[in-house]
Amino acid sequence: ERDKYENNDVAGVVTGLAWTSVGGDILFIESILSRGKGALNITGNLGKVMKESATIALEYIKANADLFGIDPSVFENYNVHIHVPEGATPKDGPSAGIAMLTSLVSLFSQRKVKKSLAMTGEITLRGKVLPVGGIKEKILAAKRARIKEIILCEDNRKDIAEIKPEYLKGLTFHYVRDMQQVIDIAVTSRKVARPKNLVGTTGKP
Amino acid sequence: ERDKYENNDVAGVVTGLAWTSVGGDILFIESILSRGKGALNITGNLGKVMKESATIALEYIKANADLFGIDPSVFENYNVHIHVPEGATPKDGPSAGIAMLTSLVSLFSQRKVKKSLAMTGEITLRGKVLPVGGIKEKILAAKRARIKEIILCEDNRKDIAEIKPEYLKGLTFHYVRDMQQVIDIAVTSRKVARPKNLVGTTGKP
Amino acid sequence: ERDKYENNDVAGVVTGLAWTSVGGDILFIESILSRGKGALNITGNLGKVMKESATIALEYIKANADLFGIDPSVFENYNVHIHVPEGATPKDGPSAGIAMLTSLVSLFSQRKVKKSLAMTGEITLRGKVLPVGGIKEKILAAKRARIKEIILCEDNRKDIAEIKPEYLKGLTFHYVRDMQQVIDIAVTSRKVARPKNLVGTTGKP
Amino acid sequence: ERDKYENNDVAGVVTGLAWTSVGGDILFIESILSRGKGALNITGNLGKVMKESATIALEYIKANADLFGIDPSVFENYNVHIHVPEGATPKDGPSAGIAMLTSLVSLFSQRKVKKSLAMTGEITLRGKVLPVGGIKEKILAAKRARIKEIILCEDNRKDIAEIKPEYLKGLTFHYVRDMQQVIDIAVTSRKVARPKNLVGTTGKP
Amino acid sequence: ERDKYENNDVAGVVTGLAWTSVGGDILFIESILSRGKGALNITGNLGKVMKESATIALEYIKANADLFGIDPSVFENYNVHIHVPEGATPKDGPSAGIAMLTSLVSLFSQRKVKKSLAMTGEITLRGKVLPVGGIKEKILAAKRARIKEIILCEDNRKDIAEIKPEYLKGLTFHYVRDMQQVIDIAVTSRKVARPKNLVGTTGKP
Amino acid sequence: ERDKYENNDVAGVVTGLAWTSVGGDILFIESILSRGKGALNITGNLGKVMKESATIALEYIKANADLFGIDPSVFENYNVHIHVPEGATPKDGPSAGIAMLTSLVSLFSQRKVKKSLAMTGEITLRGKVLPVGGIKEKILAAKRARIKEIILCEDNRKDIAEIKPEYLKGLTFHYVRDMQQVIDIAVTSRKVARPKNLVGTTGKP
Ligand SMILES: [Ca+2]
Ligand SMILES: [Ca+2]
Ligand SMILES: [Ca+2]
Ligand SMILES: [Ca+2]
Ligand SMILES: [Ca+2]
Ligand SMILES: [Ca+2]
Ligand SMILES: [Ca+2]
Ligand SMILES: [Ca+2]
Ligand SMILES: [Ca+2]
Ligand SMILES: [Ca+2]
Ligand SMILES: [Ca+2]
Ligand SMILES: [Ca+2]
């Protein structure tokens, strides 16, 4: 039984695409902030590479806070927790990178993620998005889950070209080369319901 | 020999439902607070996924303290210890999530958990409750243990429908979709006997 | 060659009962305090579950300091070290729990443990004592070691009923349900010889 | 499918040369700075030896900040993160040493790395560059990736002499003995686009 | 080739007795102090049980500083390093306990250890000395190494009784029950050459 | 292909002698200082025993700073990094001990190590030098590497006596018993080029 897209009003929730030997599926990246000193907590039975993706996403945002309109002193006042349900399923690989990046930008800006959108792609510290595998299976799973738009790396365009057009009906694809493009597409300008008023070092939001 | 429900007046004690190859059983989630700097201690011979559930429960409460009426500065003044007896039995899996959440909300609010209630369900950082397995075995164990009410994920309703009605006699089921519903059902408004007077950062309870 | 009971005037020394494939034996729980910041050191070649028992005992006392008449600020000014000789023997399991609890209460109150007393039972964070296995072998070992009184969980009463009365001659049994009962029986009101004058945060004993 | 050189304007991005059982390839060393207390984060599925290279590069720069014109107090105010994509590929060995050194000098000085340049060589704490293996495969990969200049250890000159001249057409080789030579060749005097204004302990850039 | 006793004027050097499948040998416990915050460093390729002995020795001295005439504030101003040569030989077991205790008392008091003395015995937190194995092999090794006096647990007296008297010629045995007796025999009242002037928290020696 | 001696003007670089199943070789111990709080970093793919040698060397110097004319407050203001190239080669064993000691004394005093000198020997916390194995292979490697003088433990003199004199031509041997002798022979009174002006706690060099 596969998961369905959920129209979620909560900051930090992003839909990713997973691919295992038993086929594709969607997964959810969830992140929250609590008052603290900048610790990063990662749960969801993740392997080493997937945990590294979370670290890369957070460090990239911290190093480029200005690009994303985030007050950098916020990073010192909150702990970040990233979780990927379902907890019993081991998960690994770099392909959740752009979903983790999007989750954290949504979280720190308290802005809504675009509706009915899923994404898959590896991230790098130089801001590039890299292609990933299992595209066909992931796309089929996205359709089943009622996803409408999908972000992929430009280098994965050729993988879409190999899929029968009838399977792609109703899906819009966004091909990107860098992480700024992901955020421009995925994070809306609307605040989430009951946004947190994040406090910087100065003690002021 | 199976455990029995215990009408416990202590804050932080919640009845969960477990399922192993030798059948279902109830288990107890216990948590306590001691003065400290916010450390989380987890014991009970728990595996990685079950420890992650405890982390998720605590971080979710810290990130949403206002929802639960908890002064967030309390988190910085106390250590939390979560234990799941019996200590010799290895335990794992995400299904104790909602019981851990309930335990911690009872603990931080010093309010009583509802009597004769058990629960099983996975938690997420976005506030959803996810379905879990072994429902039939868990329900039979709950009856044997003299449980009267059970909280399950809405997606587990179909598992109950497959159980012969005679096995369900005397049991009331609560099907939930999100973690706030769990707390509304499980944590009463009555304070426990001899409630702790928790102290926030201001030095005032 | 089996150990013998030792009439020990030192705070923190408690006699437990162990059971392995080669039979029962007594063991000693030892604990000491040194000036520090609240660290817990555990030695004696202990396995994970037995180390968890030590953590549970200490955290339970910290969370319920008032029940035991202990100034909670003491916990921040001393390190606790728990050791279980003999160092070469690997040990594990939860059954030393009540002996560890008793050791720490004796230590923090600098009061004598009752003479010729041994005990075995698991502890929980909600204050309950749980039954343990190997009762027959443990009782025989206790007699050989010249123990006079034994504390057991109420649920282990049935195990004693199965032992031939002639083996029980000279032994008094105390059956308990909760940890407060253990302390009431095991820790006397007499101070140890040369008691430490423990200093709280205020700088005053 | 092999990677191509990317003319990258970002500080800290350097092209290295890798060699595995399936042939040579280029790889990218990426590094970024975020406000912090001097922590070093390393990702990219790296083995022990490659992680040690990153530590050596950073410690060498910290010990010889004056050689590179870097205000040493900067090291206490920023965390460094080094990543080597692609995240799913395990990588190890010391041959990325000079590329990591170059990456960090570019990062701390916010100066551009020379265009179309790749490099391979082990670094030491005494400032020497050591030869590495797989030279032929690495050179072929560099050509395919449109690299124009390559830095090698002087002791690898003999490995180049064994390659057919036609394979070397269009490539310029720089043979070096010490790490200062690497930086002189690889790091230009031009600032990157939008250079970070790094802040020293004095609070002034 | 076996080691010989060395008449060592350095504080903290004590001769222990080891026993392996290839026979007995003497070994040296060495310890030093350097300015620090109370860290304990242990080297010499030691196993878990032998490292625990070092911890027990140090914690026992810290908890009973008055018994040994040591200003307890010294513990907070120095790091302790315990080493057991030869570094390539793996070592384990509890029998070096009394030698480690003696080493640390000599170190903290800067007093000489008695000449031509060796010892073997397990230590406990309640101040008792426990018997150890391999006594015959250890005694033969001690003679070969020109040891004159040996400290053993009282419970090992029977092991000496089983050794042919001719092998014991020239050896004096001290049988002890508690750790205070060990120190009374082993640590002289004479200061070592160039004693360190240890500084307490008050800044005064 | 074997390494050659390098006349190195850098502080902290010392030539050691290694011995593996494929014969002897020289190796370089390198160490550097960077501003910090006294951390010790060790790289070079070293095993447990060799890492312990580095710890012993540093702790010995810290405990005996006066013997070496080093202001002890320097230890609190710098981090030490010890590296042993080549990074890809796993290395272990205690025989680099005296070379590590020499490296650190040279580093902290910023004095030159004697030219064309190599050494091998284990160190202890009581200041003794212990003999090591593989002497014949190490000596042959030292000659090939153009070493002129070699420091060995006095107990290794017999191993040299077994080597044909013709192999020893041009080599001068220094046999030592303690670590002070090593430093007297190996560390000259001349400062290195561009010596660091190390700063003590007082803020003054
Ligand atoms: Ca799923
Ligand atoms: Ca890829
Ligand atoms: Ca049970
Ligand atoms: Ca599930
Ligand atoms: Ca025994
Ligand atoms: Ca049990
Ligand atoms: Ca590639
Ligand atoms: Ca090499
Ligand atoms: Ca020996
Ligand atoms: Ca024994
Ligand atoms: Ca070599
Ligand atoms: Ca040796």
Side-chain angles (χ1 to χ4, degrees):
Chain A
E1 181 182 8
R2 301 301 171 180
D3 291 317
K4 293 283 168 284
Y5 172 76
E6 298 172 13
N7 179 18
N8 211 314
D9 291 334
V10 180
V13 178
V14 177
T15 308
L17 296 172
W19 168 55
T20 68
S21 59
V22 299
D25 198 0
I26 67 168
L27 55 72
F28 298 99
I29 307 297
E30 310 174 333
S31 59
I32 57 173
L33 292 173
S34 58
R35 293 302 299 258
K37 296 184 176 168
L40 173 59
N41 243 313
I42 306 171
T43 55
N45 209 349
L46 309 189
K48 174 187 172 187
V49 173
M50 199 161 177
K51 280 185 187 165
E52 289 191 349
S53 289
T55 302
I56 296 167
L58 179 56
E59 291 300 316
Y60 185 79
I61 293 172
K62 287 166 71 173
N64 297 283
D66 52 336
L67 289 186
F68 302 114
I70 299 167
D71 172 2
S73 68
V74 165
F75 303 123
E76 300 163 31
N77 293 328
Y78 291 88
N79 292 337
V80 178
H81 185 165
I82 299 177
H83 178 62
V84 188
E86 306 170 356
T89 309
K91 310 164 195 79
D92 207 354
S95 74
I98 59 173
M100 285 173 160
L101 177 83
T102 301
S103 170
L104 293 179
V105 171
S106 162
L107 185 69
F108 281 114
S109 65
Q110 295 286 304
R111 290 190 279 140
K112 283 196 172 192
V113 172
K114 196 174 192 188
K115 200 176 150 183
S116 300
L117 173 75
M119 62 189 71
T120 184
E122 179 174 348
I123 56 177
T124 70
L125 281 187
R126 68 189 186 278
K128 278 199 53 166
V129 175
L130 300 182
V132 296
I135 294 295
K136 187 178 175 186
E137 291 80 0
K138 287 172 172 176
I139 297 305
L140 298 182
K143 267 204 83 166
R144 277 193 311 263
R146 298 179 194 154
I147 296 297
K148 303 296 180 203
E149 300 186 53
I150 293 174
I151 300 179
L152 295 174
C153 176
E154 179 66 49
D155 293 354
N156 280 126
R157 187 190 288 266
K158 64 181 186 311
D159 301 295
I160 298 298
E162 292 169 358
I163 302 175
K164 285 191 191 168
E166 63 200 77
Y167 292 149
L168 304 176
K169 213 173 288 176
L171 288 176
T172 302
F173 290 92
H174 302 271
Y175 298 105
V176 299
R177 291 207 180 278
D178 64 52
M179 290 151 69
Q180 186 62 52
Q181 291 175 289
V182 174
I183 299 306
D184 288 347
I185 296 165
V187 183
T188 72
S189 59
R190 276 166 295 136
K191 288 274 173 181
V192 293
R194 292 184 300 119
K196 284 211 176 199
N197 197 4
L198 301 182
V199 181
T201 315
T202 60
K204 298 177 189 163
Chain B
E1 179 182 8
R2 302 302 171 181
D3 291 317
K4 293 283 167 286
Y5 171 77
E6 297 173 15
N7 179 17
N8 211 314
D9 291 333
V10 180
V13 178
V14 177
T15 308
L17 296 171
W19 169 54
T20 68
S21 58
V22 300
D25 198 359
I26 66 169
L27 55 74
F28 298 99
I29 307 297
E30 310 174 332
S31 60
I32 57 172
L33 292 173
S34 59
R35 292 303 299 257
K37 296 185 175 167
L40 172 60
N41 244 313
I42 306 170
T43 55
N45 209 349
L46 309 190
K48 174 188 170 185
V49 173
M50 199 161 177
K51 279 184 187 165
E52 288 191 349
S53 290
T55 301
I56 295 166
L58 179 56
E59 291 300 315
Y60 185 79
I61 293 171
K62 287 166 72 173
N64 297 282
D66 53 335
L67 289 185
F68 303 113
I70 300 166
D71 172 2
S73 68
V74 165
F75 302 122
E76 301 162 32
N77 293 328
Y78 291 88
N79 293 337
V80 178
H81 185 165
I82 299 177
H83 178 62
V84 188
E86 304 171 356
T89 310
K91 310 164 196 80
D92 207 353
S95 75
I98 60 173
M100 286 173 160
L101 177 83
T102 302
S103 171
L104 293 180
V105 171
S106 161
L107 185 69
F108 281 113
S109 65
Q110 295 286 305
R111 290 189 279 139
K112 283 196 171 191
V113 172
K114 196 174 192 189
K115 199 175 151 184
S116 300
L117 173 75
M119 63 190 72
T120 184
E122 180 174 348
I123 55 177
T124 70
L125 280 186
R126 68 189 186 278
K128 278 198 54 166
V129 176
L130 300 182
V132 296
I135 294 296
K136 186 179 176 186
E137 292 78 359
K138 288 172 172 176
I139 297 306
L140 298 182
K143 267 204 85 165
R144 279 192 311 265
R146 297 177 196 155
I147 295 296
K148 303 296 181 204
E149 299 186 54
I150 293 174
I151 301 179
L152 294 175
C153 176
E154 178 67 48
D155 294 354
N156 281 125
R157 187 190 289 266
K158 65 181 186 311
D159 301 296
I160 298 299
E162 293 169 359
I163 302 176
K164 285 190 189 169
E166 62 199 79
Y167 292 150
L168 303 176
K169 214 174 288 178
L171 287 176
T172 301
F173 290 93
H174 303 271
Y175 298 105
V176 299
R177 292 205 179 281
D178 63 53
M179 290 151 69
Q180 186 63 51
Q181 290 175 291
V182 174
I183 299 306
D184 288 348
I185 296 165
V187 183
T188 73
S189 59
R190 276 166 295 134
K191 288 275 173 180
V192 294
R194 292 185 301 118
K196 283 211 175 198
N197 198 3
L198 301 183
V199 181
T201 314
T202 61
K204 297 178 190 164
Chain C
E1 178 182 8
R2 301 301 170 183
D3 291 318
K4 293 283 169 285
Y5 171 77
E6 296 173 16
N7 178 18
N8 211 314
D9 292 332
V10 181
V13 178
V14 177
T15 308
L17 297 171
W19 170 54
T20 67
S21 58
V22 300
D25 198 0
I26 66 169
L27 55 74
F28 298 99
I29 307 296
E30 312 174 331
S31 59
I32 58 172
L33 292 174
S34 59
R35 293 303 299 258
K37 297 186 174 167
L40 172 60
N41 243 314
I42 306 170
T43 55
N45 209 349
L46 309 189
K48 173 187 171 186
V49 173
M50 199 162 178
K51 279 185 187 166
E52 289 191 349
S53 289
T55 301
I56 295 167
L58 179 56
E59 291 299 317
Y60 185 79
I61 292 171
K62 287 165 73 173
N64 297 282
D66 53 335
L67 288 185
F68 302 114
I70 299 167
D71 172 2
S73 68
V74 165
F75 303 122
E76 300 162 31
N77 294 327
Y78 292 89
N79 294 337
V80 178
H81 185 164
I82 300 177
H83 178 63
V84 188
E86 303 172 358
T89 309
K91 310 163 195 80
D92 207 354
S95 75
I98 61 174
M100 285 172 161
L101 178 82
T102 302
S103 171
L104 293 180
V105 171
S106 161
L107 184 69
F108 281 113
S109 66
Q110 295 287 306
R111 290 189 279 139
K112 283 196 171 191
V113 172
K114 196 175 192 188
K115 198 176 151 182
S116 301
L117 173 74
M119 63 190 72
T120 184
E122 180 174 348
I123 56 176
T124 69
L125 281 187
R126 68 189 186 278
K128 278 199 53 164
V129 176
L130 300 182
V132 296
I135 295 296
K136 186 179 176 185
E137 292 79 358
K138 288 172 172 176
I139 298 305
L140 298 182
K143 267 204 84 165
R144 279 193 309 264
R146 296 177 197 155
I147 295 296
K148 303 295 179 205
E149 300 185 55
I150 293 173
I151 301 179
L152 295 174
C153 176
E154 178 66 48
D155 293 354
N156 281 126
R157 187 189 289 266
K158 66 183 185 310
D159 301 294
I160 298 298
E162 292 169 359
I163 302 175
K164 286 191 189 168
E166 64 201 76
Y167 292 148
L168 304 176
K169 212 174 289 177
L171 287 176
T172 302
F173 291 92
H174 302 272
Y175 299 105
V176 299
R177 292 206 179 279
D178 63 52
M179 289 151 69
Q180 186 63 52
Q181 290 175 290
V182 174
I183 299 306
D184 289 347
I185 296 164
V187 183
T188 73
S189 60
R190 276 166 296 132
K191 288 275 173 182
V192 294
R194 292 183 303 116
K196 284 211 175 197
N197 198 4
L198 300 183
V199 181
T201 314
T202 60
K204 297 179 189 164
Chain D
E1 181 182 6
R2 301 300 171 181
D3 292 318
K4 293 283 168 284
Y5 172 77
E6 299 173 13
N7 179 19
N8 211 315
D9 291 332
V10 181
V13 178
V14 177
T15 308
L17 297 171
W19 169 55
T20 68
S21 59
V22 300
D25 198 0
I26 65 170
L27 54 73
F28 298 98
I29 307 297
E30 310 175 331
S31 59
I32 57 172
L33 292 173
S34 58
R35 293 302 299 258
K37 296 185 175 167
L40 173 59
N41 244 313
I42 306 171
T43 54
N45 209 349
L46 309 188
K48 173 186 172 187
V49 173
M50 199 163 178
K51 279 186 187 164
E52 289 191 349
S53 289
T55 301
I56 296 166
L58 179 57
E59 291 300 315
Y60 185 79
I61 292 172
K62 286 165 73 173
N64 297 283
D66 52 335
L67 288 186
F68 302 113
I70 299 167
D71 173 3
S73 68
V74 165
F75 302 123
E76 301 163 31
N77 293 327
Y78 292 89
N79 292 338
V80 178
H81 186 165
I82 299 177
H83 178 61
V84 187
E86 305 170 356
T89 309
K91 312 165 194 78
D92 207 355
S95 75
I98 59 173
M100 285 173 160
L101 178 82
T102 302
S103 171
L104 293 179
V105 171
S106 162
L107 185 68
F108 282 114
S109 65
Q110 295 286 305
R111 290 190 278 138
K112 283 196 172 192
V113 173
K114 196 175 192 188
K115 199 176 149 184
S116 300
L117 174 74
M119 63 189 71
T120 184
E122 180 173 348
I123 55 176
T124 70
L125 281 187
R126 68 190 187 277
K128 278 200 52 166
V129 175
L130 300 182
V132 295
I135 294 296
K136 186 179 175 185
E137 292 80 359
K138 287 172 171 176
I139 297 304
L140 297 182
K143 266 205 84 167
R144 276 193 310 263
R146 299 180 195 154
I147 295 296
K148 303 296 179 201
E149 300 186 54
I150 293 174
I151 301 179
L152 295 175
C153 176
E154 179 66 49
D155 293 354
N156 280 126
R157 187 190 289 266
K158 66 182 186 311
D159 300 295
I160 297 297
E162 291 169 0
I163 302 175
K164 285 190 190 169
E166 63 201 79
Y167 292 148
L168 305 175
K169 213 173 289 177
L171 288 176
T172 301
F173 291 92
H174 302 271
Y175 298 106
V176 300
R177 291 205 180 280
D178 65 52
M179 289 152 70
Q180 186 63 52
Q181 291 174 289
V182 174
I183 299 306
D184 289 347
I185 295 164
V187 182
T188 72
S189 58
R190 275 167 295 135
K191 289 275 173 180
V192 293
R194 292 184 301 120
K196 284 210 176 199
N197 197 6
L198 301 182
V199 181
T201 314
T202 59
K204 297 178 190 163
Chain E
E1 177 182 8
R2 300 302 171 182
D3 292 317
K4 292 283 168 284
Y5 171 77
E6 296 172 16
N7 179 17
N8 210 314
D9 292 332
V10 180
V13 178
V14 177
T15 308
L17 297 170
W19 170 55
T20 68
S21 59
V22 300
D25 198 1
I26 65 169
L27 55 74
F28 298 99
I29 307 296
E30 312 174 332
S31 59
I32 58 173
L33 292 174
S34 58
R35 293 302 299 258
K37 297 184 175 168
L40 172 59
N41 243 314
I42 306 170
T43 54
N45 209 347
L46 309 188
K48 173 186 171 185
V49 173
M50 198 162 180
K51 279 185 188 166
E52 288 192 348
S53 289
T55 301
I56 295 167
L58 179 57
E59 291 299 315
Y60 185 79
I61 293 171
K62 288 166 71 173
N64 297 282
D66 53 336
L67 290 185
F68 303 113
I70 299 167
D71 173 1
S73 68
V74 165
F75 302 122
E76 300 163 32
N77 294 327
Y78 291 88
N79 293 338
V80 178
H81 185 164
I82 299 178
H83 178 63
V84 188
E86 303 172 359
T89 309
K91 312 165 193 78
D92 206 356
S95 75
I98 61 174
M100 285 174 161
L101 178 81
T102 302
S103 170
L104 293 180
V105 171
S106 161
L107 184 70
F108 281 114
S109 64
Q110 295 286 307
R111 289 189 280 138
K112 282 196 171 193
V113 172
K114 196 175 193 189
K115 199 176 149 180
S116 301
L117 173 75
M119 63 190 71
T120 185
E122 180 174 347
I123 56 177
T124 70
L125 280 187
R126 68 189 186 276
K128 278 199 52 163
V129 175
L130 301 182
V132 294
I135 294 296
K136 187 179 175 186
E137 291 80 358
K138 287 172 172 176
I139 298 306
L140 298 182
K143 267 205 84 166
R144 279 192 310 264
R146 298 179 196 154
I147 295 297
K148 302 297 178 204
E149 300 186 56
I150 293 173
I151 302 179
L152 294 175
C153 176
E154 179 66 48
D155 293 353
N156 281 125
R157 186 189 289 267
K158 65 183 186 310
D159 301 294
I160 297 298
E162 291 169 1
I163 302 175
K164 286 191 189 167
E166 64 200 77
Y167 292 148
L168 303 176
K169 212 174 289 176
L171 287 176
T172 302
F173 290 92
H174 302 271
Y175 298 105
V176 300
R177 291 203 180 282
D178 64 54
M179 289 152 69
Q180 186 64 53
Q181 290 174 290
V182 174
I183 299 306
D184 288 347
I185 295 164
V187 183
T188 72
S189 59
R190 275 165 297 134
K191 287 275 173 181
V192 294
R194 293 183 303 117
K196 284 211 177 198
N197 198 4
L198 301 183
V199 181
T201 314
T202 60
K204 297 178 189 164
Chain F
E1 178 182 7
R2 302 300 173 184
D3 292 318
K4 293 283 168 282
Y5 171 77
E6 298 172 14
N7 179 18
N8 210 315
D9 292 333
V10 181
V13 178
V14 177
T15 308
L17 296 171
W19 169 56
T20 68
S21 59
V22 299
D25 198 359
I26 65 170
L27 55 73
F28 297 98
I29 308 297
E30 310 174 332
S31 59
I32 58 172
L33 293 174
S34 58
R35 293 302 299 258
K37 296 185 174 168
L40 172 59
N41 244 313
I42 307 171
T43 55
N45 209 348
L46 309 188
K48 173 186 172 186
V49 173
M50 199 162 177
K51 279 186 187 165
E52 289 191 349
S53 289
T55 301
I56 296 166
L58 178 57
E59 291 299 316
Y60 185 79
I61 292 171
K62 286 165 73 173
N64 297 282
D66 53 335
L67 290 185
F68 303 113
I70 299 167
D71 172 2
S73 69
V74 165
F75 303 123
E76 301 162 32
N77 293 326
Y78 291 89
N79 293 338
V80 178
H81 186 165
I82 300 177
H83 178 62
V84 188
E86 304 170 358
T89 309
K91 312 166 193 77
D92 207 354
S95 76
I98 60 173
M100 285 173 161
L101 178 82
T102 302
S103 170
L104 293 179
V105 171
S106 161
L107 184 69
F108 281 114
S109 66
Q110 295 286 306
R111 289 189 280 139
K112 283 196 171 192
V113 173
K114 196 175 193 189
K115 199 177 148 181
S116 300
L117 173 76
M119 62 189 71
T120 184
E122 181 173 348
I123 56 177
T124 69
L125 280 187
R126 68 189 186 278
K128 279 199 53 165
V129 175
L130 301 182
V132 294
I135 294 296
K136 186 178 175 187
E137 291 80 359
K138 288 172 170 175
I139 299 304
L140 298 182
K143 267 205 82 167
R144 277 193 310 264
R146 298 179 195 153
I147 295 296
K148 303 297 180 202
E149 300 186 54
I150 292 174
I151 302 179
L152 294 175
C153 175
E154 180 65 51
D155 293 354
N156 280 125
R157 185 190 290 268
K158 66 182 186 312
D159 301 295
I160 297 297
E162 291 169 1
I163 302 176
K164 286 191 188 168
E166 63 200 78
Y167 292 148
L168 304 176
K169 212 174 290 176
L171 289 176
T172 301
F173 290 92
H174 303 271
Y175 299 105
V176 299
R177 291 203 181 282
D178 64 53
M179 289 152 69
Q180 186 63 53
Q181 290 175 289
V182 174
I183 299 306
D184 289 346
I185 295 164
V187 183
T188 72
S189 58
R190 276 166 296 136
K191 288 276 173 180
V192 293
R194 292 185 301 120
K196 284 210 176 199
N197 198 5
L198 301 182
V199 181
T201 314
T202 60
K204 297 178 189 162

